[in-house]
Structure formats: structure tokens, C-alpha cells
């Protein structure tokens, strides 16, 4: 064992101290062995290193806010993602941060997930390779990353306790593949487990995930850390493969593991393995540290703008209304033009060096415009007067640039969206302006799909997503042709929420969420069910035009294990230089198991000069034609024919060629003829159909605990519908969070902290800093169960004992 000389001399207490944090953002040091402490910090679209004396989420050191993951994924550019990683790493080095807590690669199962802005895609292949490039960029500078959240953390609602119920094939094909790609191609220093359970087992103690698949099958050798407060049973987590608990537990969970070792319930070898992993990490980070490192704030801002320009998606350009004419005065409407939404809310929030709004960007180009907000950003304030003033101005202009989108109130970490609609004040403004029959161009700022009832009445639509601190400069350059749009959607924009495949099953019943739709997530559902969408996966326009020709295959017949190599010619048939994303999908001809109509298996972004051509080459591996077979516990290749589709988006088939694997699996078909999975559609998937797919009993529905049944595993939210006491405690908690963090009522940080409190199992609250000792659990539960005097006495006694210990420690 590596570092055996050190580990063999450590006491059990010293070993366990290494396996939990020293406070919220550092690992434990052991000075007598020269073991350093390293700093970890939130990312992933910029450094969020908290000011140590502050408890406010948004109070952190100044840093560059780069475009968020949803934006970067829309670039479909691995080189750009690598450059982004290198750039953020420089800021980590300057702040002595050893581990950047990102990237997040969870699949966008539903567009309602409040944290989707922090994730890449609905497709695991695209998410995996963009993440790999980003990780390679960060780690090339000697800064570690933390690939997260492993696994099936696809919603914010009850994320600390929900059980994601998912069949094994779907788990392996859809929810683990992006982690597998990143682990095998970029070897992240750390991997972060998620809060939730997967099939009734908390991720923090899930041996199947953390050991059997991650370490034994994929060969991962780094550190597995918990998300902040994700540990359930520390003594179970250590042998399952969880090395580091974050944040620090003040020795309480260390004692649980020590007791398990001393009682013989836990073999100390698992502790030693975890300590070895931690020593390897901290010594590696210590070696890579560069004290006194500096970086150029201006250069990083330029890179942030370049990423934003390469990632924005042109969704509509009717009659080539774009790019706009600089010599023509326009009207700019929308408060987001002046106060941009350029990043998400929550633990990833970056305290930006600077912010460039769309108005700033227009000013830099010398554009003549008049501006009116048109609506307020605070949903609690009336927008009537602002809307009326905007409409009055609009009558005097031929061209109107509308800036609209989602605010932090509508999407943030900690809670999910309830609708795909834009804020009503913005919809009202759009309704009035589109009545005027003007030339309307929309700049849309949001972190996830929205419905667009106004789309047919506008001529141009540029989606900036959340474009980072330089978003305004990027948008202005794109709108006026100083840059050519080249982004493409990394997710589907549905026509309506009801069209999404998990609409009936998201976010679950409180105890569990059933992934009934199986592998049919995002475009895998829409293409197979032949469902119309607003904008398809992979869609994006340019100011030039591209044509695909000459799909050249080296062969049409292959054996199991052969690489399928081919090339395609991409021609720029327009008058402007531009970049095109070439997408490659695989379609099985006669599948022996229900499979999506097509799946993304390769992509490349290529620059092509006007009236020129480039040849783009691809190589597909055996795995690209496989599905996961539950019986053999392996990815299987069926003998037979497959189409290779070279496309501009998932609904396109610009070039198609057929290849045949002459050997491979030949077992009989096992399609359920009448099953939803064989014919995905709008109808509800029955429980019996899902149970057959799941191959295990469905979880029981959650029943809120009654008086006398409340336990430490329950949530305050479970009692609030029937308990005035619970509602009172929740109100006090909300007031306390607001007071301590100094945030306003409409600040998403308040909502995040409040929901964290009411949706956290009672016994986990100490991990989040809430004033509740684990020893007080018995007293608190007694109070809720109808024994207020007994329970209060226990709590007071425990508080007194804790106070005495604190005073004694101070002396």
C-alpha cells in the first residue's frame, strides 16, 4: 500500500481525522507526519472561495464569472472547454485552492430541475466529453477537480432524502455513462457523491456505485468525497468507498467509525485504504501549489466573452433580420438588458470582477438606441407602468430588441421550477409589443428551456443562456455580426411541459421518484415517439450556410471489436466564415431490445472559411453500437445493421450510410410487444410495466408521519401540513436564515437555505450548521410526538452539557 510507512504509525483517531473536513472548506492536517491541509472551493463556472468570516452564500472573493455549464455545452467545443478549465485553474492557483468542486454532469431528466444551468446536457455522450475536456484543462495546471453529483441527482426537490428509483439498464446507459467517460478520459482528482438515494441506498454508502462500478470496473483511483452534508451512516460509507466526509463533523462521525472498528464490525483495512487515497490527494495538491501566482483579470474577461460568443445559439433569423444594422437606431426593451442574468443562484454563485450588460455591449459598438425596462425583475412589484411606457415608445420604432429571460426567483439551486413559462410580466410585455407588427429580435437569458407562445411573432431569436460576466459584450457582437453564431442546443426545447417524458413522474411522491420513462429521456423520447418539439437537440443557426457531402466509409462490414472509421466533407456555401458542429447518430435497424430511434455517438466543431470545404474524420468504437444487457451485466453488441447518420441536429438526416456487424449477439428478441417501452407515446406508463423493467419491488408511497411516529429520519416538511408546531419552527428558521445571512426576502439564497432546513432529515441538520445536536434528536422528536415537557427537558439538558464543554474547552 502506498504511504504504508505513514499509515502504520497513525493512531486510529488520526486516520479518521483525515477522512473528514477541517471546517467547511479544508481537509485536516496532521503535522507530526507533515500531512498538509488543502483548500477546496465551489465552481464550476468560476471560483467561489468564501470569505471565511462570512456565512452568506454570495460573499466570496472576487473572481471571473464564466458562462455556466449549460452555456458551455452549447458550444459543442472540447478545445474551448479545455481552455475554460485552464483559465479557471489559474484563479484557483492564485487563491491557493487545491480542488475546484466541479464539473456537474447530471443528466437533464426534466427541464424543471432548478440546477440544470449547472449541468451540461440531456445526453451522456456530449456531457461526458465536454466534462472530460474541462477537467483536463483544470488539471493540466495542477489543480484538481471534483466530478459531481454521483449519481441520479436529477432534481432539487427533496434532494437530501429522495430515492431515485431507476432500472439498471437506464442507470448504466444514461445516468452513469457521462461519469464513466470523464473518469476514464480525464481521471479527476476527486469525485463527489450525491445527496440522494439510488434504489433505496444513499449514494454516500452505495457500494455498487462507489466501489463495484467506479473503482473495480472503471479503475478509478482518486478520492470519493461527499456532497456537503450527504453522509448518512459514516461507518457504512467507509467500506462502501466514501473516503472524505465534507464538511467537518467535529469528530462525531469519526467516533462512529472508530467504534465500528473497535467492535469488530468494520475492518480497519477500509479505513487505511481511504487514508491512502487522501494522502495521495493532499501531497499531490501540495506539490502542485504555486504561491504568489497571479493572472490577468482583463485576459480572463476576454476568454469569458469568447466562450459566451461561441456558445450562444441563434434559434431564429427570419428574412435574415440578423445581424442588425449599426447605422439604424433601435429600441431596446427589457430590464435584463441593463441588469443581466448571467449566472445561476446557489453554491456556484461567483462574485464577479465586472459585469457587462447588453446595454454596455451596445455602447461599446457605438450603437444608437433608446432603452426602457418594460418590466420589473421583482415579481412582487407591479410592471404595469413600465410596460405602458415601453409600448408607447415602441410605436416610434421599426426595430425592437427585446431582452427577456428567467430571473433567480425562477431557477436556482435548492428548488425546482413549477412551469416552463417566462415570468408573467415579461409575457404581458411580449403580448403588447408583438401586437404592433414591428421587426422584433429577442435576446433570451435563461438556464433551461422555456415555452415561447410569442415565437411566431418575432423575426430573430438569440439564446445567450447564462453567458457569464461578459455576456452583454458577447450578445452585442453576435447581434451586430462582429461574431458569427455557432452554438447548438445541448438539450431539447419542448412545446409544452406536458410533452416531456417524465412529466407525470417528476419530482416523485416525497419518498421516491420513479424513473418510469427508462432510457427515453430528452431527444431519445421525442425522436422515437415522433413527437414535435419547439427546437430539437443539436439545433442552431449561423449567419452562413453549410452543406454536407461525401460520407466516405472505409468499409460497410465489420467484426465485433472493429472501429468504424469514416469522413464527411463540410462546405461553407455562404459569404461569411463560420463554425459548424457535425453531429453523428447511430440508428439500429432491427434491435433485439427496445432502443431509442437514434443516439449521439460523435461530434466535432470545425471552422470553415466562406466558399471553402473541410474534411472531418470520425471513428466509432464497438461501445457506440452497444446497449447494456442486464442479464449478462455488460454492454452488448447485436449482430446486424446500423445506420450512421451525419446531421445538423437530431431531427436531421443530411447523410446516411449503413454498416453491418457480421458477428455479435444473436439471441432472440425480447421486446414486450404491447409495452410502452416498445412504443413510447403520450400515455402513462403503468406500474406493472415499470416494475417489469425495474426487476424489483416498487417502493411504497410516502405517508406523512402522524403524532407519535416522528423520527430523526423524517423532515420538518413532512409535518408541516398537519402540525402548527412544525410550521412555526419553519417560520422561525426562515427568519433566522434571513437575519444571519443578511439577504432580502426575494433572494434565492434565502429560499435555498429554508428548503435545505425543512427538507433535510432531522438527524442531518448539524452537518449544515443548524443549531441541533444529534444528542438532542430524542428530545425534538418527543416534542413533535406529543411529549413537549419531556422533550424540552432533554434538549435543555443537552444544550447545558454542550455549553459546559464549550466553556471548558475555552479555558
Amino acid at each position: 500500500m502506498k504511504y504504508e510507512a505513514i499509515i502504520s504509525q497513525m493512531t486510529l483517531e488520526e486516520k479518521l481525522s483525515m477522512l473528514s473536513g477541517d471546517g467547511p472548506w479544508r481537509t485536516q492536517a496532521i503535522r507530526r507526519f507533515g500531512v498538509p491541509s488543502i483548500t477546496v472551493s465551489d465552481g464550476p463556472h468560476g471560483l467561489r472561495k468564501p470569505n471565511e468570516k462570512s456565512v452568506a452564500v454570495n460573499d466570496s472573493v472576487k473572481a471571473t464569472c464564466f458562462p455556466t455549464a449549460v452555456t458551455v455545452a452549447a458550444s459543442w467545443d472540447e478545445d474551448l472547454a479545455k481552455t475554460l478549465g485552464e483559465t479557471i485553474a489559474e484563479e484557483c492557483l492564485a487563491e491557493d485552492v487545491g480542488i475546484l468542486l466541479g464539473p456537474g454532469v447530471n443528466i437533464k431528466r426534466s427541464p424543471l430541475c432548478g440546477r440544470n444551468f449547472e449541468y451540461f446536457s440531456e445526453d451522456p455522450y456530449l456531457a461526458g466529453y465536454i466534462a472530460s475536456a474541462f477537467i483536463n484543462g483544470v488539471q493540466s495546471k495542477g489543480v484538481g477537480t471534483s466530478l459531481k453529483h454521483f449519481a441520479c441527482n436529477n432534481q432539487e426537490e427533496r434532494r437530501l432524502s429522495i430515492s431515485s428509483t431507476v432500472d439498471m439498464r437506464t442507470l448504466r446507459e444514461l445516468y452513469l455513462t457521462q461519469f464513466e467517460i470523464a473518469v476514464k478520459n480525464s481521471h479527476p482528482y476527486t469525485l463527489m457523491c450525491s445527496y440522494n438515494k439510488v434504489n433505496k441506498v444513499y449514494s454516500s454508502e452505495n457500494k455498487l456505485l462507489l466501489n463495484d462500478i467506479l473503482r473495480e470496473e472503471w479503475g478509478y483511483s482518486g478520492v470519493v468525497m461527499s456532497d456537503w452534508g450527504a453522509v448518512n451512516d459514516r461507518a457504512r460509507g467507509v467500506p462502501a468507498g466514501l473516503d472524505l466526509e465534507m464538511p467537518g463533523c467535529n469528530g462525531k462521525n469519526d467516533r462512529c467509525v472508530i467504534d465500528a472498528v473497535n467492535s469488530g464490525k468494520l475492518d480497519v483495512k477500509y479505513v487505511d485504504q481511504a487514508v491512502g487515497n487522501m494522502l495521495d490527494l493532499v501531497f499531490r495538491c501540495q506539490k502542485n501549489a504555486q504561491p504568489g501566482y497571479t493572472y490577468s483579470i482583463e485576459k480572463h474577461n476576454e476568454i469569458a466573452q469568447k466562450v459566451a460568443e461561441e456558445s450562444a445559439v441563434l434559434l431564429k433569423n427570419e428574412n435574415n433580420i440578423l445581424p442588425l444594422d449599426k447605422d439604424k437606431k433601435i429600441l431596446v426593451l427589457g430590464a435584463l438588458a441593463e441588469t443581466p442574468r448571467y449566472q445561476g443562484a446557489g453554491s456556484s454563485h461567483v462574485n464577479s470582477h465586472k459585469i457587462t450588460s447588453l446595454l454596455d455591449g451596445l455602447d461599446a459598438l457605438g450603437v444608437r438606441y433608446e432603452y426602457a425596462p418594460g418590466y420589473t425583475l421583482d415579481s412582487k412589484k407591479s410592471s404595469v407602468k413600465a410596460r405602458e411606457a415601453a409600448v408607447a415608445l415602441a410605436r416610434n420604432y421599426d426595430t425592437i430588441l427585446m431582452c427577456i429571460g428567467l430571473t433567480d426567483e425562477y431557477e436556482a439551486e435548492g428548488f425546482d421550477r413549477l412551469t416552463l413559462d417566462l415570468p408573467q410580466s415579461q409575457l404581458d410585455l411580449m403580448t403588447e409589443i408583438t401586437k404592433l407588427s414591428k421587426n422584433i429580435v429577442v435576446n433570451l437569458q435563461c438556464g433551461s428551456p422555456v415555452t415561447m407562445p410569442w415565437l411566431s411573432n418575432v423575426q430573430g431569436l438569440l439564446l445567450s443562456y447564462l453567458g457569464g460576466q461578459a455576456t452583454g459584450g458577447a450578445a452585442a457582437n453576435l447581434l451586430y455580426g462582429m461574431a458569427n453564431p455557432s452554438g447548438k442546443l445541448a438539450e431539447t426545447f419542448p412545446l409544452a411541459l406536458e410533452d416531456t417524458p417524465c412529466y407525470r413522474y417528476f419530482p416523485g411522491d416525497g419518498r421516491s421518484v420513479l424513473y418510469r420513462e427508462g432510457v427515453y429521456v430528452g431527444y431519445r423520447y421525442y425522436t422515437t415517439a415522433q413527437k414535435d418539439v419547439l427546437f430539437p437537440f443539436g439545433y442552431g443557426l449561423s449567419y452562413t450556410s453549410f452543406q454536407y457531402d461525401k460520407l466516405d466509409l472505409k468499409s460497410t462490414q465489420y467484426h465485433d471489436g472493429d472501429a468504424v472509421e469514416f469522413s464527411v466533407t463540410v462546405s461553407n456555401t455562404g459569404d461569411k466564415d463560420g463554425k459548424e458542429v457535425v453531429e453523428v447518430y447511430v440508428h439500429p435497424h432491427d434491435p433485439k431490445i427496445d432502443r431509442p430511434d437514434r443516439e449521439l455517438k460523435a461530434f466535432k466543431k470545425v471552422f470553415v472559411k466562406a466558399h471553402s470545404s473541410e474534411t472531418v474524420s470520425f471513428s466509432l468504437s464497438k461501445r457506440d453500437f452497444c446497449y447494456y444487457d442486464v442479464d449478462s451485466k455488460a454492454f452488448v453488441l447485436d449482430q446486424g445493421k446500423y445506420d450512421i447518420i451525419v446531421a445538423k441536429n437530431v431531427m436531421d438526416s443530411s447523410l446516411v450510410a449503413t454498416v453491418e456487424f457480421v458477428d455479435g449477439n444473436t439471441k432472440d428478441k425480447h421486446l414486450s410487444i404491447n409495452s410502452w417501452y416498445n412504443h413510447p407515446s403520450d400515455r402513462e406508463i403503468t406500474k406493472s410495466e415499470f416494475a417489469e423493467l425495474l426487476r424489483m419491488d416498487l417502493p411504497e408511497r410516502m405517508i406523512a408521519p402522524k403524532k407519535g411516529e416522528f423520527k430523526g429520519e423524517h423532515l420538518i416538511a413532512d409535518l408541516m401540513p398537519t402540525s402548527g408546531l412544525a410550521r412555526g419552527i419553519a417560520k422561525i428558521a426562515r427568519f433566522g436564515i434571513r437575519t444571519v445571512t443578511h439577504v432580502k426576502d426575494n433572494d434565492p439564497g434565502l429560499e435555498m437555505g429554508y428548503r435545505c432546513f425543512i427538507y433535510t432529515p432531522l438527524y442531518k441538520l448539524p452537518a449544515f450548521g443548524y443549531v441541533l445536536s444529534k444528542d438532542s434528536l430524542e428530545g425534538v422528536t418527543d416534542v413533535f410526538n406529543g411529549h413537549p415537557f419531556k422533550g424540552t427537558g432533554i434538549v435543555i439538558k443537552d444544550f447545558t452539557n454542550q455549553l459546559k464543554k464549550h466553556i471548558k474547552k475555552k479555558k
Side-chain angles (χ1 to χ4, degrees):
M1 181 190 296
K2 196 175 182 181
Y3 302 111
E4 184 175 359
I6 296 177
I7 296 172
S8 63
Q9 298 179 65
M10 284 183 173
T11 65
L12 188 55
E13 286 74 12
E14 286 174 326
K15 292 177 182 179
L16 266 299
S17 72
M18 282 209 67
L19 305 187
S20 63
D22 181 8
W25 304 111
R26 296 188 65 82
T27 63
Q28 295 274 4
I30 302 182
R31 290 181 175 80
R32 76 184 185 104
F33 294 111
V35 177
S37 171
I38 62 170
T39 298
V40 303
S41 183
D42 276 320
H45 56 269
L47 184 65
R48 189 187 79 87
K49 183 180 180 183
N51 288 317
E52 294 185 4
K53 295 182 180 180
S54 175
V55 296
V57 172
N58 296 343
D59 190 1
S60 56
V61 300
K62 287 285 186 179
T64 306
C65 181
F66 296 90
T68 62
V70 63
T71 317
V72 177
S75 75
W76 292 63
D77 191 330
E78 293 174 82
D79 292 336
L80 188 71
K82 186 174 186 291
T83 297
L84 173 62
E86 293 168 345
T87 309
I88 294 177
E90 291 185 352
E91 303 198 14
C92 291
L93 290 171
E95 290 291 342
D96 191 28
V97 170
I99 302 292
L100 180 73
L101 300 175
V105 295
N106 295 94
I107 293 299
K108 299 181 182 184
R109 176 177 178 245
S110 169
L112 293 179
C113 176
R115 209 172 180 180
N116 273 355
F117 63 84
E118 218 177 311
Y119 302 137
F120 291 115
S121 178
E122 68 186 34
D123 182 82
Y125 186 94
L126 178 58
Y129 279 99
I130 295 295
S132 291
F134 176 83
I135 292 168
N136 286 334
V138 174
Q139 296 187 170
S140 70
K141 295 288 187 177
V143 176
T145 56
S146 192
L147 185 65
K148 63 186 186 182
H149 306 91
F150 194 64
C152 295
N153 181 190
N154 307 108
Q155 64 188 64
E156 292 299 284
E157 181 75 9
R158 294 178 178 257
R159 63 178 179 172
L160 291 147
S161 60
I162 199 79
S163 178
S164 299
T165 303
V166 56
D167 69 279
M168 187 53 64
R169 178 189 165 202
T170 299
L171 179 67
R172 296 305 305 266
E173 288 187 19
L174 205 61
Y175 294 104
L176 296 189
T177 292
Q178 70 277 20
F179 287 98
E180 179 182 2
I181 290 170
V183 164
K184 290 182 175 179
N185 287 280
S186 58
H187 312 288
Y189 285 18
T190 74
L191 179 142
M192 185 188 295
C193 79
S194 58
Y195 288 116
N196 54 285
K197 302 171 187 173
V198 177
N199 293 330
K200 303 179 184 179
V201 182
Y202 274 107
S203 294
S204 63
E205 55 198 54
N206 197 313
K207 181 177 178 293
L208 174 65
L209 292 176
L210 304 186
N211 183 74
D212 300 355
I213 295 175
L214 177 63
R215 293 197 187 277
E216 294 186 7
E217 185 180 331
W218 297 348
Y220 182 66
S221 59
V223 164
V224 177
M225 68 164 65
S226 74
D227 203 340
W228 268 232
V231 168
N232 176 60
D233 186 325
R234 191 67 178 108
R236 289 182 181 178
V238 171
L242 183 70
D243 300 312
L244 175 63
E245 176 185 7
M246 291 299 289
C249 61
N250 294 319
K252 293 177 181 178
N253 279 340
D254 297 353
R255 175 50 56 189
C256 294
V257 180
I258 291 171
D259 291 344
V261 171
N262 290 336
S263 67
K265 294 180 180 179
L266 175 62
D267 192 327
V268 73
K269 72 177 183 180
Y270 295 111
V271 174
D272 290 347
Q273 289 170 359
V275 173
N277 292 334
M278 283 300 300
L279 288 172
D280 193 46
L281 175 68
V282 297
F283 284 134
R284 188 179 190 182
C285 291
Q286 181 188 46
K287 180 181 178 181
N288 294 339
Q290 298 185 44
Y293 192 95
T294 59
Y295 64 92
S296 168
I297 293 176
E298 191 53 44
K299 182 180 178 181
H300 282 203
N301 186 70
E302 292 172 2
I303 293 173
Q305 180 165 322
K306 175 179 173 58
V307 175
E309 289 175 356
E310 296 278 337
S311 304
V313 185
L314 181 61
L315 292 175
K316 186 173 183 179
N317 195 16
E318 187 177 292
N319 298 323
N320 292 320
I321 191 172
L322 294 173
L324 295 169
D325 185 350
K326 282 177 61 177
D327 295 328
K328 187 175 182 180
K329 187 176 181 180
I330 64 169
L331 175 64
V332 180
L333 297 180
L336 288 172
E338 182 179 22
T339 307
R341 174 98 191 288
Y342 63 98
Q343 65 173 320
S347 61
S348 66
H349 189 278
V350 177
N351 187 7
S352 307
H353 281 302
K354 61 187 296 186
I355 303 170
T356 303
S357 70
L358 178 57
L359 298 185
D360 294 330
L362 297 178
D363 289 339
L365 294 180
V367 174
R368 295 183 300 120
Y369 67 87
E370 187 170 3
Y371 164 72
Y375 56 82
T376 63
L377 294 176
D378 187 344
S379 64
K380 295 180 181 179
K381 294 182 179 179
S382 173
S383 293
V384 174
K385 290 184 178 179
R387 181 169 66 250
E388 291 175 346
V391 172
L393 278 176
R395 301 182 193 280
N396 303 319
Y397 286 86
D398 294 327
T399 301
I400 302 170
L401 176 55
M402 302 285 299
C403 198
I404 57 177
L406 296 174
T407 67
D408 285 345
E409 287 184 71
Y410 289 81
E411 56 176 352
E413 180 181 353
F415 58 91
D416 295 320
R417 297 165 65 193
L418 300 177
T419 175
L420 295 185
D421 297 338
L422 288 169
Q424 190 59 49
S425 60
Q426 297 183 32
L427 292 175
D428 291 341
L429 177 63
M430 289 296 296
T431 298
E432 295 302 316
I433 296 299
T434 54
K435 289 179 182 178
L436 302 178
S437 299
K438 303 288 186 174
N439 292 317
I440 300 173
V441 174
V442 173
N443 176 225
L444 181 61
Q445 302 173 16
C446 56
S448 49
V450 296
T451 54
M452 303 180 189
W454 38 262
L455 183 62
S456 62
N457 296 317
V458 305
Q459 288 68 51
L461 172 56
L462 178 70
L463 172 64
S464 290
Y465 272 122
L466 303 182
Q469 67 179 45
T471 186
N477 281 351
L478 289 162
L479 290 167
Y480 279 88
M482 312 306 292
N484 193 350
S486 62
K488 293 195 175 186
L489 296 177
E491 60 191 341
T492 304
F493 273 53
L495 285 166
L497 177 60
E498 293 77 9
D499 291 338
T500 59
C502 66
Y503 165 67
R504 293 181 174 92
Y505 324 115
F506 181 96
D509 66 3
R511 172 177 290 172
S512 64
V513 52
L514 307 183
Y515 286 45
R516 288 202 209 183
E517 68 282 355
V519 298
Y520 296 99
V521 171
Y523 74 81
R524 285 167 168 78
Y525 168 71
Y526 299 113
T527 55
T528 309
Q530 298 182 349
K531 189 83 173 172
D532 289 337
V533 298
L534 187 62
F535 293 108
F537 176 86
Y539 180 84
L541 302 174
S542 170
Y543 292 152
T544 190
S545 54
F546 296 96
Q547 180 177 315
Y548 298 172
D549 296 292
K550 301 176 184 176
L551 175 50
D552 184 14
L553 281 164
K554 287 195 173 182
S555 175
T556 57
Q557 287 194 332
Y558 296 88
H559 294 281
D560 187 344
D562 289 347
V564 178
E565 298 179 340
F566 58 97
S567 63
V568 61
T569 300
V570 179
S571 300
N572 184 339
T573 57
D575 297 326
K576 295 179 181 291
D577 297 346
K579 292 184 178 181
E580 171 69 342
V581 177
V582 185
E583 304 164 30
V584 177
Y585 298 87
V586 169
H587 163 75
H589 269 215
D590 190 25
K592 300 181 184 301
I593 187 172
D594 57 275
R595 299 184 69 173
D597 177 76
R598 59 184 65 185
E599 295 180 277
L600 181 74
K601 295 301 178 184
F603 64 90
K604 283 188 180 178
K605 193 167 192 176
V606 57
F607 173 77
V608 189
K609 286 185 172 292
H611 306 294
S612 298
S613 299
E614 295 289 339
T615 299
V616 185
S617 298
F618 296 95
S619 180
L620 301 182
S621 68
K622 170 186 173 179
R623 175 70 178 269
D624 294 324
F625 297 87
C626 291
Y627 61 88
Y628 187 80
D629 182 66
V630 178
D631 294 325
S632 60
K633 298 182 179 180
F635 282 89
V636 171
L637 171 69
D638 280 346
Q639 184 184 91
K641 295 181 179 181
Y642 299 81
D643 283 343
I644 293 175
I645 305 169
V646 181
K648 297 180 179 180
N649 63 73
V650 75
M651 298 292 190
D652 174 51
S653 298
S654 292
L655 298 173
V656 181
T658 302
V659 299
E660 181 180 13
F661 281 91
V662 297
D663 48 21
N665 175 51
T666 58
K667 69 180 182 180
D668 293 335
K669 288 187 177 184
H670 49 91
L671 294 172
S672 301
I673 300 301
N674 297 318
S675 171
W676 183 93
Y677 302 102
N678 192 34
H679 304 284
S681 66
D682 288 335
R683 78 166 175 85
E684 184 172 3
I685 305 164
T686 66
K687 286 187 177 181
S688 60
E689 287 175 316
F690 182 56
E692 182 180 358
L693 180 73
L694 191 61
R695 298 192 181 192
M696 66 176 72
D697 293 335
L698 295 180
E700 297 179 358
R701 287 186 62 84
M702 187 191 79
I703 301 175
K706 299 176 183 178
K707 186 179 290 188
E709 299 175 344
F710 192 74
K711 301 176 182 178
E713 66 193 49
H714 288 126
L715 322 177
I716 295 294
D718 292 338
L719 284 178
M720 288 174 64
T722 58
S723 170
L725 176 61
R727 293 192 294 273
I729 289 176
K731 288 182 179 179
I732 293 171
R734 190 180 189 92
F735 175 79
I737 294 167
R738 185 177 65 233
T739 301
V740 172
T741 58
H742 308 292
V743 297
K744 298 179 180 178
D745 281 336
N746 63 346
D747 191 298
L750 172 60
E751 190 66 21
M752 176 182 166
Y754 171 70
R755 285 175 177 259
C756 181
F757 177 79
I758 66 171
Y759 285 124
T760 298
L762 209 59
Y763 71 91
K764 282 190 176 185
L765 284 174
F768 292 92
Y770 295 105
V771 186
L772 175 67
S773 165
K774 285 186 176 181
D775 296 334
S776 294
L777 275 177
E778 181 183 350
V780 173
T781 54
D782 275 342
V783 171
F784 279 118
N785 287 327
H787 307 290
F789 297 110
K790 177 185 175 184
T792 302
I794 293 174
V795 172
I796 292 174
K797 181 179 179 181
D798 178 66
F799 177 78
T800 302
N801 290 335
Q802 294 293 330
L803 183 61
K804 288 179 180 178
K805 289 179 182 179
H806 179 72
I807 294 173
K808 184 177 180 181
K809 186 177 180 181
K810 285 288 185 180
K811 290 181 179 180

